[in-house]
């Protein structure tokens, strides 16, 4: 029986059994998309990350939800970074690129905080759109601003007094593009949750039933998308974002050049082992199409 290393990391949290879980699998050759999709369905995490080392020494990365492949995933990239460290392939202070469908993502271990890592994600701009009345009715809350993005996510800003943390999950009633990713966000008061030595500035929740995710716990790609807007509002080059999901967590977001945001967060290793990789096959052509430098 052929086996490969695999582990499960709970990302963007410094507390056990919180944050967003992601499985990470180290492949010895480019597996077929069909096998990776079936394995992601078996893991039943919001995302499963697959790492493959090229002959040149570089790494390729792909992400699958239980129902489809996605072009970007922050928490599974953080999980993959800490998996590489756990497997002895990345040392504290090192920064390396991971080739992905969203380009070469720079990742590294935080030299000051054991168990923490950083990753740089692309941040597509927010495009103002008319507020959909049907969404306001579904949420039972007033939407102050509503945006689209080239990432495909829609973003809605709620009033500071809206009960975002306790709002009932709206996924069953979402329509159209909102089903492919809806960010609900609001500012936090100064006494909000603390993260890395300071209070968080905003909080959000993320729903994507069209991707097979009723609600995501702590969503790196969503924070990378909205953090530049919060930086502009607060006139700062870094902000702290919180996600008050049932499995809560957060991250430090910093400007990393035009169109890029650097996220720093902690993570917890839940389990470490081997999987049966029989049937994985080998499809280098598919990996070349899916992963671009």
């Amino acid at each position: 029986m052929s086996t490969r290393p695999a582990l499960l990391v709970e990302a963007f949290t410094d507390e056990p059994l919180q944050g967003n879980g992601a499985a990470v699998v180290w492949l010895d050759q480019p597996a077929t998309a069909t096998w990776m999709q079936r394995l992601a369905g078996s893991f039943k995490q919001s995302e499963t990350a697959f790492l493959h080392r090229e002959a040149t020494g570089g790494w390729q990365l792909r992400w699958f939800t239980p129902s489809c492949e996605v072009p970007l995933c922050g928490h599974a990239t953080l999980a993959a970074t800490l998996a590489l460290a756990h497997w002895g392939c990345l040392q504290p202070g090192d920064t390396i690129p991971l080739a992905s469908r969203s380009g070469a993502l720079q990742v590294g271990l935080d030299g000051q905080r054991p168990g923490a890592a950083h990753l740089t994600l692309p941040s597509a701009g927010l495009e103002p759109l008319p507020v959909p009345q049907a969404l306001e009715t579904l949420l039972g809350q007033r939407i102050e601003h509503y945006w689209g993005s080239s990432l495909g996510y829609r973003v809605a800003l709620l009033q500071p007094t809206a009960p975002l943390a306790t709002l009932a999950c709206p996924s069953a009633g979402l329509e159209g593009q909102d089903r492919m990713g809806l960010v609900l966000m609001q500012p936090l008061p100064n006494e909000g949750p603390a993260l890395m030595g300071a209070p968080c500035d905003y909080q959000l929740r993320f729903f994507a039933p069209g991707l097979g995710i009723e609600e995501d716990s702590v969503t790196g790609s969503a924070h990378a998308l909205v953090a530049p807007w919060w930086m502009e509002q607060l006139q700062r080059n870094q902000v702290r974002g919180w996600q008050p999901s049932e499995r809560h967590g957060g991250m430090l977001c910093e400007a990393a050049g035009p169109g890029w945001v650097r996220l720093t967060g902690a993570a917890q290793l839940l389990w470490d082992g081997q999987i049966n990789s029989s049937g994985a096959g080998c499809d280098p052509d598919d990996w070349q199409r899916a992963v671009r430098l």
Side-chain angles (χ1 to χ4, degrees):
M1 181 176 67
S2 177
T3 62
R4 294 304 304 159
L7 49 75
L8 195 149
V9 171
E10 295 172 319
F12 293 122
T13 181
D14 55 9
E15 301 176 55
L17 305 179
Q18 293 293 340
N20 202 348
V24 185
V25 180
W26 181 355
L27 300 171
D28 59 352
Q29 62 183 11
T32 66
T34 299
W35 180 83
M36 291 187 288
Q37 185 63 76
R38 288 175 177 169
L39 186 61
S42 294
F43 278 133
K44 289 183 168 53
Q45 299 299 309
S46 56
E47 266 87 12
T48 296
F50 294 89
L51 285 164
H52 167 59
R53 194 163 203 170
E54 301 171 299
T56 58
W59 291 91
Q60 295 182 330
L61 173 65
R62 292 171 73 174
W63 311 274
F64 287 77
T65 76
S67 63
C68 65
E69 184 171 7
V70 292
L72 185 65
C73 179
H75 84 277
T77 303
L78 183 74
T81 303
L82 290 162
L84 289 174
H86 181 74
W87 292 325
C89 301
L90 190 62
Q91 301 302 317
D94 288 350
T95 299
I96 62 170
L98 302 180
S100 78
R101 289 177 62 185
S102 292
L105 308 179
Q106 298 294 324
V107 304
L109 295 184
D110 191 317
Q112 305 300 317
R113 304 179 183 92
H118 58 81
L119 58 149
T120 303
L121 297 186
S123 181
L126 296 177
E127 305 155 2
L129 295 172
V131 174
Q133 292 185 351
L135 182 58
E136 282 192 322
T137 300
L138 174 66
L139 299 175
Q141 302 295 325
R142 180 173 174 269
I143 296 174
E144 294 191 343
H145 297 286
Y146 181 74
W147 299 270
S149 72
S150 60
L151 185 59
Y153 298 169
R154 296 293 170 87
V155 179
L157 177 68
L158 303 184
Q159 295 177 304
T161 56
L164 177 59
T166 58
L167 197 67
C169 176
S171 287
L174 293 179
E175 300 176 347
Q177 192 62 35
D178 287 338
R179 293 185 56 79
M180 305 309 294
L182 174 65
V183 179
L184 300 179
M185 64 179 187
Q186 67 182 166
L188 278 171
N190 291 334
E191 62 270 19
L195 180 75
M196 297 183 185
C200 288
D201 302 291
Y202 69 91
Q203 64 180 358
L204 65 79
R205 290 175 66 186
F206 180 78
F207 311 93
L211 302 177
I213 304 168
E214 292 298 296
E215 179 172 1
D216 203 31
S217 299
V218 193
T219 316
S221 59
H223 286 272
L225 176 63
V226 305
W229 187 86
W230 289 105
M231 291 181 204
E232 182 180 358
Q233 301 304 303
L234 298 172
Q235 294 295 293
R236 301 209 310 260
N237 62 5
Q238 67 174 33
V239 292
R240 287 166 170 79
W242 185 254
Q243 209 151 331
S245 309
E246 182 178 353
R247 295 172 60 90
H248 53 260
M251 64 204 73
L252 173 67
C253 310
E254 303 173 275
W260 293 89
V261 173
R262 175 169 155 149
L263 308 179
T264 301
Q268 307 291 314
L269 177 63
L270 183 62
W271 58 254
D272 175 24
Q274 302 279 326
I275 61 162
N276 177 2
S277 60
S278 301
C282 182
D283 194 345
D285 290 340
D286 180 60
W287 275 73
Q288 290 301 318
R289 287 190 298 269
V291 178
R292 59 180 177 83
L293 291 173

